[in-house]
Amino acid sequence: MTRRVLRALVVGLLFAACFVALPHTSSTAAAAPTRIMALGDSITGSPGCWRALLWKHLQDTGHAGVDFVGTLPAQGCGFTYDGENEGHGGFLATGIVRDNQLPGWLSGTRPDIVLMHLGTNDVWNGIAASTILDAYTTLLGQMRASNPATKLVVAKIIPMNPANCAACAQRVVDLNAAIPAWAQAHSTAASPITVVDQWSGFDTAADTSDGVHPNSTTGIQKMENRWYPALVAALPTSNAAVGLHVSGTQVLEANGAAFVMRGVNHPYAWYPSQTGAFADIKSFGANTVRVVLGSGQRWGPTSAAEVTNVVSLCKQSRLICVLEAHDTTGYGEESAAASLDQAASYWISVASALKGQENYVVINLGNEPFGNNQQVSATWASATSSAITRLRGAGLQHLLMADAPMWGQDWQNIMRDNAASVLAADPQHNTVFSIHMYGVYDTAAEITAYFDAFRTAGLPLVVGEFGNMHTDGDPDEDTIMAQAQSRGLGYLGWSWSGNSSDVAYLDLVNSFNPASLTTWGERFLNGTNGVRQTSKEATIYGGGTTDTAAPTTPGTPTSSGVTATGATLTWSASTDNVGVTGYDVLRATGSGTFSQVGSTGSATFTDTGLTASTTYRYQVRARDAAGNVSASSAAATVTTSAGGGTGACKIGYSAPAWGGGNGFTASVTITNTGTSTLTGWTLAFTYTAGQRVTLPGWGADLAQTGGAVTATNLAWNGTLAPNASTGIGFNGTFTGSNPAPASFTLNGSACTTG
């Protein structure tokens, strides 16, 4: 955010084959190499040359201290590589569990990290996704019994389209859709689980040799490209971070205590005399202040002596100090903006004021370091990695914060898709990523999707700036704050005071007066999920007595609004000695095993994408800010209604491709063909060829899980009188073919098409 308007441009059976294996060579660069097991079927092992590419990529980028382990030898991939593995052709996850085979493999290999691409043969044999996940759970328990600190990197498996299994493609989608929730429910700080999406962008026609196995060109390369950043992120670092540092998705203090930023942006560079703001910000309970500094290209430079004083003011007010170089704002679009390389030079020039302050200071490399120039913004990963490397080379060991491009809002997902490679490039492995949420994030779906992507990738994220309104749209601050609180994500509101007149509504207080809160200040500082309610002081200042009391058990859920594909659950709220921050919702199909399907900040949850005429059981459990989890509630049983027949609705669908490209624009017309007015609707359909919706779309709130897409009405088009219609649409991408969905349902009832 700058002092003037910044407007975002929102514009088989797998059969083992015989190959000649090249000699095994273990990495010897480290005295105690990290032991990596690739676990799977023939996609992993016969010959599974993505493993060879992965090993070579690690060697080429300096990660020599690895040892690929397994009871099976390497197979021929054209060059010598460390190829021991557990890729067993024809094996099922459920079969490995049934025959208790994994403990024997583990006893001789003792892996630190397991890369698991497993389940293709189970899908081929018609085994339900819930049963496959039960097998995953058993295998995970066996891994942890062998090594309690096992890191599991589990894949959403590649798509499959064998000639003898027409249903397999959708079964893979169903399994992959369930994996993230399974991973979240079973991941622990000691033994984390990371999900790698091997499915998206993988084309069975172009990237496999037979509709199932990756081919030796694009298929294995695509798989390696997905494995590499996740594996590097899981590797231990040779230079342990000091002071504040990241661990998985969390920010921790030096003593290992979790630290969740709750604070305010302070425009020091423009108002250096407003030093009383530090104590004033603290008076509302904030634990962090993000301080605007100048690196000399547009403001300042803020001298080393000033930096020393700012850090002292932070410490006097018992605040963690995030220092940011603001001159980079909008580089590539703003002609006067500084580059990240120039920002790195500034940080190095004031290193004397920073070294020794690792417990108290976070270095924010550069504010919103790229504008909407797409060609320049595309260099975000390399420019950010280079700046990090320079700071580390200068001896700065602090927790670093990297802002997103595109005026900080990352509306093209450049940071989201490249954050893992930037974290891997940090020798300290100690960088947290910062998204700025303004008009691009005006719906709950957009906010949760962005948060979900970082959680699924196992990467640390904070909301470095956001407001309650902006010239580029109306950010959904309630969802930002609620979701950040329920997920343990830090957030920092823009800004204390002193914004120019065109964005003065973003001031939290009037004229730097803490006794004169603005509407935004009241909401942010004193409101639900706000700073006063949720902030916990850093333990380095003596704050935060340990909270070990779990919330009380929630009430048994009750159901309403049950349709063929969804149901709404409500329950009696839990209580807690500090405060309940959210609830986990668990679901089991029939008498199957419970797994988490969602989370919510309130005592209600709507589950979608269910199967008609099917019985489900639900439990809920409560969480508090310290991570304490209640016992699960008693189970509630819900049976969805029958989905047969045609409802009183008609759908018109067209999705012409963009001339010769792999994009399309879908137009959908929904008509109420019934005799009564429809109040509120959710349209559901499934893509079967890997098409992906580009959010947010128009005319509806859209969401996609695997191939399943839902579109829920907006406030203005939720009521449809008999014979009335409304139109929605969205852009999307495809690889290969782009067939229309075979069917549509509206509120769970099938519609006619045409």
Side-chain angles (χ1 to χ4, degrees), residues 47 120 134 214 372 441 458 607 663:
T120 301
D134 288 344
N372 286 328
Y441 298 94
D607 198 14

Side-chain angles (χ1 to χ4, degrees), residues 60 64 72 95 109 121 156 205 242 277 355 383 415 456 498 511 521 545 562 597 606 608 620 651 669 693 732:
D60 291 345
L72 299 177
T109 56
N121 290 311
K156 289 186 177 181
V242 298
K355 290 182 178 179
M415 183 174 81
T456 299
S511 302
T545 56
V562 179
V597 294
T606 299
T608 59
V620 292
I651 305 299
T669 302
V693 173

Side-chain angles (χ1 to χ4, degrees), residues 239-245 254 358-359 397-399 428 430:
N239 299 316
V242 298
L244 290 159
H245 60 282
E358 292 85 359
N359 287 322
Q397 298 180 293
H398 304 66
L399 172 61
Q428 296 284 345
N430 194 28

Side-chain angles (χ1 to χ4, degrees), residues 243-329:
L244 290 159
H245 60 282
V246 298
S247 177
T249 60
Q250 291 185 299
V251 173
L252 306 180
E253 295 187 66
N255 63 4
F259 181 70
V260 180
M261 295 182 192
R262 289 287 181 269
V264 173
N265 285 269
H266 171 47
Y268 171 84
W270 308 315
Y271 301 99
S273 65
Q274 295 290 344
T275 54
F278 293 86
D280 293 339
I281 290 168
K282 179 64 176 183
S283 70
F284 289 92
N287 61 24
T288 305
V289 59
R290 181 172 179 255
V291 186
V292 175
L293 303 181
S295 59
Q297 285 74 38
R298 301 168 76 179
W299 300 285
T302 308
S303 68
E306 285 183 278
V307 172
T308 297
N309 186 53
V310 165
V311 174
S312 176
L313 290 166
C314 288
K315 294 166 74 172
Q316 289 172 29
S317 295
R318 302 161 71 90
L319 293 165
I320 295 300
C321 212
V322 178
L323 303 177
E324 59 106 336
H326 211 80
D327 301 59
T328 55
T329 306

